Amino acid sequence: MSEKTIPDHAVWPGTVHNGILSVPSGSHPAPQRGFDVAEFANRLARAQQLMAESGMDAMLITTEAEFRYFTGFLTQFWQSPTRPWFLLVPASGQPTAVIPGIGYPPLAQTWIEDIRTWTSPQPQDEGVSLLAETMHEILGDRARVGVPMGPETTLRMPLADYDRLRAMVPGFSFHDATEVVKTLRMVKSEAEIEKIAHICRIASDVYDLVPSIATPGQPLVETFRAVKIELLKHGADDVSYLVGASAPGGYDNVISPPGNRPLTEGDVLMIDTGTVYDGYFCDFDRNWAIGKADPAAKHGYATLFEATNAALEIARPGATAGDLFRAMQKVIVDNGYACGNVGRLGHGLGMQLTEWPSHTNADETILVPGMVLTLEPSLDMKPGQGMVHEENFVLRNNGPQLLSRRAPEQLPEVH
Amino acid sequence: MSEKTIPDHAVWPGTVHNGILSVPSGSHPAPQRGFDVAEFANRLARAQQLMAESGMDAMLITTEAEFRYFTGFLTQFWQSPTRPWFLLVPASGQPTAVIPGIGYPPLAQTWIEDIRTWTSPQPQDEGVSLLAETMHEILGDRARVGVPMGPETTLRMPLADYDRLRAMVPGFSFHDATEVVKTLRMVKSEAEIEKIAHICRIASDVYDLVPSIATPGQPLVETFRAVKIELLKHGADDVSYLVGASAPGGYDNVISPPGNRPLTEGDVLMIDTGTVYDGYFCDFDRNWAIGKADPAAKHGYATLFEATNAALEIARPGATAGDLFRAMQKVIVDNGYACGNVGRLGHGLGMQLTEWPSHTNADETILVPGMVLTLEPSLDMKPGQGMVHEENFVLRNNGPQLLSRRAPEQLPEVH
């Protein structure tokens, strides 16, 4: 994109932080779309190793992220609820796709060779008998089949069809495969990290433009619209998620679309985007005071900045998601606040806006290099008046590498 | 939006068609956001009547569209898979929401009064015991609970948690509620139609700009980017779905994101968008020849235009989705083509990109006033080389009212 105007980051403190790598501004070439076949072969090999360890003969995949993880099949068509899509990942050998006919041309362009289709929609037998037949052909009459059934998973096929499928493969038993897909997807390859880093840079560049976009009196919906347009102009493929709020002194609703209320002096404006490049998300927010920043908002903001520092300082391989939570929570509580209503202080991200793990006191997921995580401390200044702050990083052997360009150390003002 | 440039539609034939209301161009005020409480009260009353007819004591809702249908709760946050959301719709009385704490502030702004929250994420008990307790409190120890389990539905909670829930309410039986939600959602209110009409007008205006946006040599990804930006500038909230293709003489892949291949003389370019205003979709496409239109492509296009006419001519209350299919299929076959790989020739739309019914030979859903439908004939000119055409309309007592501005009668050219 040629018309980018990159502001001078030197005017904003906090861009470089304690030796943690910062994100350069300026133009950045887009990473290659898609992945080499070696990436998929490696994913499959890792999956088959994990499946062997848990005694599974195959996994049955029905969801967008997992289907794409193993095949590379990228489409927004999953928004249509009409047709299920199935992928059988066997304990050895190549995956087999059982899909609606409309998907054949794009799936045939991926590394998947065994593709079976039915004419869909066909609600009286929406791929179920073809899937059952394929399972018998590949797995025989008895098999242990993994299906993700645990936290953060769903089954993307009608429940009645799932029951019908199980009745058609009576020798098969179905077991929870959440740990397999979670273990695989939590650790990103360098090619995946490059895509996330790219979209994080784009969002960082656009957030830097907000003081020149937003003005007091502007309806929030128009601020958001302008930000979405800038994200696209800067190279985002899609602005899948852009939420936020602007409210006097702070906000407590952090997941809503914008309304028509104009930005008003005394507001804190928050914008949070999960913007996408080649199927990979960033997920971080920024805050601005509309007009002169209120001391309470400044203190809340400074606390969140300090909480983020505390987590960055201990984010090392071997630490846990719970450690990150506790480091942030301590700063928030020591500064006299309660944590906000978000329920966690960060999470994984990648092919989805949010992924495992969650930074909660109870999540003792051990951090390993290659994990891409948010740090998302939030607090309540008073009932109904809170703030949330968010950064994205990838964990390296020696600590965190920021993927979002660090937010300014003090609450920036929009005039 | 002030900078719109509306082309002169008079240069394109087909804008007005046989007395079927056409869509005016020019600026159009945006409908009110959200709905009056009366809309939700009416939806609930209709639901309770259908539930009474099928002997249900309550419905358990877990999915975005149904949750929003009954509550008005609009958020992109459903993209985060971490947290389930539950709504109990009882056979009499008001609904009760059982939701993660992060959702309380926005849900409290809706008409829902009984909102119960848990601190989430909490994967060891992700709302399940609170939901079971709430079900017992509201429904007693024995109840027939409806859950959508049929075509085009999914259960949006982990499968293991659904099993855990059922074990915690042993006196409850669970039954398929697909017909209830399908019957309700297939017929739109005037307020819903107004939102769909608005986003259809926006997309119509932007499609009219494509000949001034697209040029031979432009990478498809940049064409798409420019169209997305125009949609936002014209008042779309989000461009949730924009797919298409540009390929020599026609295309067979109708669901993919754009690549970097430049638009090339001899291509047929197709763009299909499901763009959103206030949570309601349009869903229609347009075709253009890049350079001089090839006679085969012109004939294919004319056939699809004629197929659409054939469906519009018979679209009356009392006709069926199957009738629409057969009317379009006859034109396609009579012109010497096979139908494309889409598997149906149109469908419902509204809160989702696609909804029930499907225009297939087997779908005998009876059309009633208030249904919003696409007509989406597709054909193959030769293997790998097809075309698809789409319009959106609402069925009125006396026939169809187009919501998309009718496509030109002949394949337009981009030079």
Side-chain angles (χ1 to χ4, degrees):
Chain A
M1 313 308 300
S2 56
E3 70 280 45
K4 271 190 301 188
T5 312
I6 305 297
D8 177 6
H9 292 91
V11 301
W12 276 6
T15 306
V16 176
H17 168 72
N18 293 347
I20 292 164
L21 293 175
S22 69
V23 178
S25 63
S27 67
H28 18 81
Q32 171 200 320
R33 289 185 184 271
F35 295 99
D36 296 335
V37 168
E39 171 98 11
F40 297 109
N42 183 46
R43 292 176 182 182
L44 178 64
R46 289 173 63 212
Q48 290 177 331
Q49 185 182 334
L50 292 167
M51 288 161 64
E53 287 166 14
S54 52
M56 278 175 207
D57 299 309
M59 272 199 302
L60 172 60
I61 295 300
T62 64
T63 39
E64 191 275 337
E66 281 72 26
F67 195 101
R68 173 156 56 100
Y69 185 82
F70 287 112
T71 65
F73 178 60
L74 177 64
T75 173
Q76 296 178 316
F77 193 64
W78 294 84
Q79 287 174 72
S80 169
T82 306
R83 303 169 182 88
W85 302 70
F86 305 111
L87 188 74
L88 275 175
V89 181
S92 65
Q94 297 299 107
T96 295
V98 179
I99 62 163
I102 192 172
Y104 184 83
L107 196 63
Q109 289 171 26
T110 71
W111 82 307
I112 301 298
E113 292 182 355
D114 187 0
I115 303 172
R116 305 172 186 206
T117 66
W118 78 97
T119 299
S120 172
Q122 197 179 138
Q124 72 284 12
D125 181 14
E126 201 62 89
V128 175
S129 63
L130 179 61
L131 176 60
E133 188 184 301
T134 305
M135 289 170 78
H136 275 135
E137 177 193 320
I138 292 174
L139 300 168
D141 287 340
R142 304 188 65 79
R144 291 172 56 87
V145 178
V147 172
M149 302 176 183
E152 314 214 9
T153 76
T154 57
L155 181 76
R156 191 188 176 280
M157 67 185 289
L159 210 50
D161 283 354
Y162 181 61
D163 288 342
R164 204 170 298 153
L165 173 69
R166 288 193 295 177
M168 292 174 87
V169 290
F172 288 53
S173 59
F174 290 77
H175 307 271
D176 185 13
T178 303
E179 281 303 311
V180 175
V181 296
K182 175 180 169 181
T183 303
L184 290 170
R185 287 184 48 211
M186 275 200 304
V187 179
K188 272 69 180 176
S189 71
E190 286 306 316
E192 290 183 288
I193 293 166
E194 210 184 325
K195 292 178 202 290
I196 302 170
H198 183 65
I199 195 63
C200 283
R201 281 189 297 255
I202 287 170
S204 296
D205 287 347
V206 171
Y207 279 141
D208 287 351
L209 298 176
V210 168
S212 66
I213 290 172
T215 48
Q218 184 178 53
L220 187 58
V221 67
E222 296 308 324
T223 312
F224 278 33
R225 187 184 313 285
V227 170
K228 290 172 187 176
I229 289 170
E230 286 300 328
L231 286 164
L232 290 167
K233 283 187 177 175
H234 281 70
D237 289 342
D238 292 290
V239 185
S240 297
Y241 184 80
L242 197 142
V243 302
S246 189
Y251 43 82
D252 66 347
N253 176 354
V254 298
I255 57 171
S256 284
N260 286 318
R261 178 180 172 278
L263 300 179
T264 305
E265 301 264 346
D267 280 3
V268 178
L269 164 66
M270 184 274 289
I271 304 178
D272 185 4
T273 192
T275 290
V276 173
Y277 175 77
D278 202 27
Y280 282 79
F281 279 88
C282 67
D283 178 19
F284 63 103
D285 74 2
R286 289 295 175 258
N287 290 273
W288 298 267
I290 305 301
K292 195 162 161 43
D294 169 71
K298 284 164 88 163
H299 189 259
Y301 183 92
T303 300
L304 295 176
F305 192 89
E306 188 190 335
T308 306
N309 282 357
L312 287 171
E313 274 155 24
I314 63 147
R316 296 287 180 281
T320 67
D323 292 337
L324 298 180
F325 171 84
R326 286 181 288 272
M328 289 184 273
Q329 184 196 36
K330 182 174 191 311
V331 173
I332 292 164
V333 170
D334 286 354
N335 278 273
Y337 301 104
C339 288
N341 62 18
V342 177
R344 60 183 176 185
L345 301 180
H347 52 79
L349 75 157
M351 304 175 78
Q352 288 170 296
L353 175 68
T354 79
E355 299 182 356
W356 319 270
S358 291
H359 307 333
T360 64
N361 199 36
D363 192 326
E364 292 305 322
T365 303
I366 294 169
L367 306 185
V368 300
M371 283 186 175
V372 176
L373 301 166
T374 76
L375 296 173
E376 189 176 12
S378 62
L379 54 78
D380 285 333
M381 276 131 8
K382 53 172 92 163
Q385 213 178 62
M387 292 181 84
V388 56
H389 181 91
E390 197 168 14
E391 303 283 5
N392 296 166
F393 74 94
V394 56
L395 192 66
R396 300 299 192 181
N397 287 326
N398 57 352
Q401 177 189 350
L402 277 176
L403 299 179
S404 50
R405 188 174 309 134
R406 190 74 203 274
E409 196 161 347
Q410 284 157 27
L411 180 58
E413 297 177 353
V414 164
H415 293 280
Chain B
M1 314 312 299
S2 55
E3 70 279 47
K4 271 191 301 192
T5 313
I6 304 298
D8 177 7
H9 291 93
V11 302
W12 276 7
T15 306
V16 178
H17 168 71
N18 293 345
I20 290 164
L21 292 174
S22 70
V23 177
S25 63
S27 67
H28 18 80
Q32 172 201 320
R33 289 185 184 271
F35 295 99
D36 297 335
V37 168
E39 171 99 10
F40 297 108
N42 183 46
R43 292 176 182 182
L44 177 63
R46 289 173 63 213
Q48 289 176 333
Q49 185 183 333
L50 292 167
M51 288 161 64
E53 287 166 14
S54 53
M56 278 176 208
D57 299 308
M59 272 199 302
L60 172 61
I61 296 300
T62 63
T63 39
E64 191 277 335
E66 281 72 25
F67 195 101
R68 173 155 58 98
Y69 185 82
F70 288 113
T71 65
F73 177 61
L74 176 64
T75 173
Q76 296 178 315
F77 194 64
W78 294 84
Q79 287 174 71
S80 168
T82 306
R83 303 170 182 88
W85 302 70
F86 305 111
L87 188 74
L88 275 175
V89 181
S92 64
Q94 298 298 109
T96 295
V98 180
I99 62 162
I102 192 171
Y104 184 83
L107 196 63
Q109 289 170 26
T110 71
W111 82 309
I112 300 299
E113 292 182 354
D114 187 1
I115 303 171
R116 306 173 186 203
T117 66
W118 78 96
T119 299
S120 173
Q122 197 179 139
Q124 72 284 13
D125 181 13
E126 201 62 88
V128 176
S129 62
L130 178 62
L131 176 59
E133 187 184 301
T134 305
M135 289 170 78
H136 275 135
E137 178 193 319
I138 293 174
L139 301 167
D141 287 339
R142 302 188 68 79
R144 289 173 57 86
V145 178
V147 172
M149 301 177 184
E152 313 215 10
T153 76
T154 56
L155 180 76
R156 191 187 175 279
M157 67 185 289
L159 211 49
D161 282 356
Y162 181 62
D163 289 341
R164 204 171 296 154
L165 173 70
R166 288 193 296 178
M168 291 174 87
V169 290
F172 288 53
S173 59
F174 291 78
H175 307 271
D176 185 14
T178 303
E179 280 304 309
V180 175
V181 295
K182 175 180 169 181
T183 303
L184 290 171
R185 287 185 45 210
M186 275 200 303
V187 180
K188 272 68 179 177
S189 70
E190 287 306 316
E192 290 182 290
I193 292 165
E194 210 183 325
K195 293 178 202 290
I196 301 170
H198 182 64
I199 194 65
C200 283
R201 283 190 295 255
I202 287 170
S204 296
D205 286 348
V206 171
Y207 279 141
D208 287 352
L209 299 176
V210 168
S212 66
I213 290 171
T215 48
Q218 183 178 52
L220 187 59
V221 67
E222 297 308 325
T223 313
F224 278 34
R225 187 186 311 286
V227 171
K228 291 173 188 177
I229 289 170
E230 286 300 327
L231 286 164
L232 290 167
K233 282 185 176 175
H234 281 70
D237 290 341
D238 292 290
V239 186
S240 297
Y241 184 80
L242 197 142
V243 302
S246 189
Y251 44 82
D252 66 347
N253 176 354
V254 297
I255 57 171
S256 282
N260 286 318
R261 178 180 173 278
L263 300 180
T264 305
E265 302 263 347
D267 280 3
V268 177
L269 164 66
M270 183 274 288
I271 304 179
D272 186 4
T273 191
T275 288
V276 173
Y277 175 77
D278 202 26
Y280 282 78
F281 279 86
C282 66
D283 179 19
F284 63 103
D285 74 1
R286 288 294 175 261
N287 290 275
W288 297 267
I290 304 300
K292 194 159 162 48
D294 168 72
K298 284 163 89 164
H299 189 259
Y301 183 92
T303 301
L304 295 176
F305 192 89
E306 188 190 335
T308 305
N309 282 357
L312 286 171
E313 273 154 25
I314 63 145
R316 295 290 180 278
T320 67
D323 291 337
L324 297 180
F325 171 84
R326 287 180 288 271
M328 289 183 273
Q329 185 196 37
K330 181 174 190 313
V331 174
I332 292 166
V333 170
D334 285 354
N335 277 275
Y337 300 105
C339 289
N341 62 18
V342 176
R344 61 182 176 186
L345 302 180
H347 52 80
L349 75 156
M351 304 174 78
Q352 288 171 295
L353 175 68
T354 79
E355 299 182 357
W356 320 269
S358 291
H359 307 332
T360 64
N361 200 35
D363 192 327
E364 292 305 323
T365 303
I366 295 170
L367 307 185
V368 299
M371 283 186 176
V372 177
L373 300 166
T374 76
L375 296 173
E376 190 175 11
S378 62
L379 55 78
D380 285 332
M381 279 138 356
K382 55 173 94 163
Q385 213 179 60
M387 292 180 84
V388 55
H389 181 89
E390 197 169 16
E391 304 282 5
N392 296 165
F393 73 95
V394 55
L395 192 66
R396 299 299 192 182
N397 288 326
N398 58 349
Q401 176 188 351
L402 277 177
L403 299 179
S404 50
R405 188 175 309 132
R406 191 74 202 275
E409 198 163 345
Q410 285 157 26
L411 179 58
E413 296 177 352
V414 164
H415 292 280

